[in-house]
Every structure is written in structure tokens, then in C-alpha cells.
Amino acid sequence: AQGQFITGLDDDDYFLPTRIADFVAHWGQRRAGSVALTSARRKILPDGSEIDLPGKDTVGVKDMYLRNLAGSQAFLETATARQLGGFDPQLKAWQDYDFLFRLAQLGTIENLPVASYVVDASHPHERISTRSYQKVAAACEYFIGKHGISGRQALQVRSQLLVYRFSYPEAVAFLLRFLARGDIAGVKAVIRRFQRSRSSS
């Protein structure tokens, strides 16, 4: 990349026409401490219906343990991406999550409220997120070790595996461990994943 800015696009998703122009226009007015921009997302469901996912106004590193609240792609300066070293080639999954987690350690990721990124889940083709559970689980453990995550936060990161393979016994185990730690956000995350598994089955 030779320009001032860089962003990414997953191969089965797409941008709405004004996404880049909106980011460029907003860059000079972004909030103090913001190092990147993202936006609300529009998701096309398997039945063809669409929903908008608004996201959180600003995402910091503390927001990233239970799930990737920054989405899969962000708009940032190319120099910042170089500073972070780009994606980690050791990861077989979670490359975007790892990159955005490191980005959030530099400052917040600001979320624009208008959906301009479309996640297309309507097609029958394999998405990266549906590939081998073993690869995702290995990436999870690598991610935890790489970032020195422990205790409640490591439990939060591991609970994301329920998105890839929902198991009632594992969900109950996470619920009990979150309850024992008084982690209400973790409890809510497991309940949301249970509801997602019910709606997709």
C-alpha cells in the first residue's frame, strides 16, 4: 500500500458505495485517541433478509475479549498498519481479530453509525469462520499465549469458541465459571450465543 490510508475487505463481503468517502471525510473529525474507523454492518442472512448491526460507538482493548466488536476490517493509516507489523502469519484463523486487538492497544477504534460494510451469509459457500474447529481452537490458544492473557479475560476469549461449535455442556461450564467470577458480561455473551444457536438450528 502506497497511500495514506489502508483498509481491507473480506472476499465474500462488500462495501456500500460511500464507505471510503465517509471514512476520509470523518478522519479529521474523529474522536481524540481514535486510531482507526469502522462502521455498523449490514448482514444478509441465509434467507435473504437483511439486518443492520450497529456496534459500539468506540471500541477499546477491554471490549475485545468477549468478541471482536470492531468487526473484521478497519480503516486506518498505512503507517499504523506497518507499525503493528500487519497480520500474524503464524495464525491459521483469527488473523483479523489479532490485528484489531493489537490496534486497540494503540487507541480506540471509532464506529460510524451508518452501515457501509455488508456481510453476505446468504450463499452456500464456505466462510473462513466455518472452517475446521481445531484450527480455530488452536488459534485461540496461540492468541491467548501471544498476548499473555490469563484469568477472567482468558476465559472470555475461550468462550468465543462457542460461536464456531456450540455445545450445551461447554456453554453451561462457561456460564458457571462466569457466575463464579461475577462476570455478568460473560454470562450475557453465553446467553446470546445460546440464542444464536437456537435461531440457526
Side-chain angles (χ1 to χ4, degrees), residues 1 15 18 25 34 64 106 108 113-114 120 139 149 157 166 178 198:
F15 293 165
T18 64
S34 172
M64 297 285 283
L106 299 179
T108 57
V114 177
D120 187 356
I149 302 169
V157 172
F166 190 86
F178 282 135
R198 291 281 303 270

Side-chain angles (χ1 to χ4, degrees), residues 31-109:
R31 298 178 186 187
S34 172
V35 294
L37 302 175
T38 186
S39 79
R41 292 175 298 152
R42 179 164 299 160
K43 187 169 185 178
I44 304 176
L45 301 173
D47 64 4
S49 63
E50 299 181 3
I51 56 169
D52 280 0
L53 307 169
K56 194 171 181 284
D57 288 347
T58 56
V59 177
V61 71
K62 290 182 179 178
D63 300 309
M64 297 285 283
Y65 291 102
L66 277 168
R67 63 190 176 112
N68 180 2
L69 284 176
S72 62
Q73 302 293 341
F75 177 89
L76 64 152
E77 290 190 303
T78 305
T80 304
R82 287 200 182 99
Q83 177 186 344
L84 290 171
F87 292 129
D88 184 342
Q90 299 300 314
L91 281 162
K92 304 302 181 188
W94 282 17
Q95 297 93 337
D96 51 355
Y97 176 46
D98 173 71
F99 178 81
L100 293 165
F101 185 86
R102 287 182 279 129
L103 180 61
Q105 291 174 324
L106 299 179
T108 57
I109 300 168

Side-chain angles (χ1 to χ4, degrees), residues 16 27 38 40 55 79 92 96 106 112 121 124 146 152 161 178 195 197:
L16 293 180
W27 188 258
T38 186
K92 304 302 181 188
D96 51 355
L106 299 179
L112 302 189
K146 172 182 177 178
R152 179 175 67 92
L161 295 175
F178 282 135
Q195 291 169 335
S197 74

Side-chain angles (χ1 to χ4, degrees), residues 145-167:
K146 172 182 177 178
H147 295 290
I149 302 169
S150 61
R152 179 175 67 92
Q153 292 171 332
L155 183 64
Q156 289 180 337
V157 172
R158 288 188 178 105
S159 75
Q160 293 187 51
L161 295 175
L162 291 171
V163 171
Y164 302 91
R165 185 183 72 187
F166 190 86
S167 156

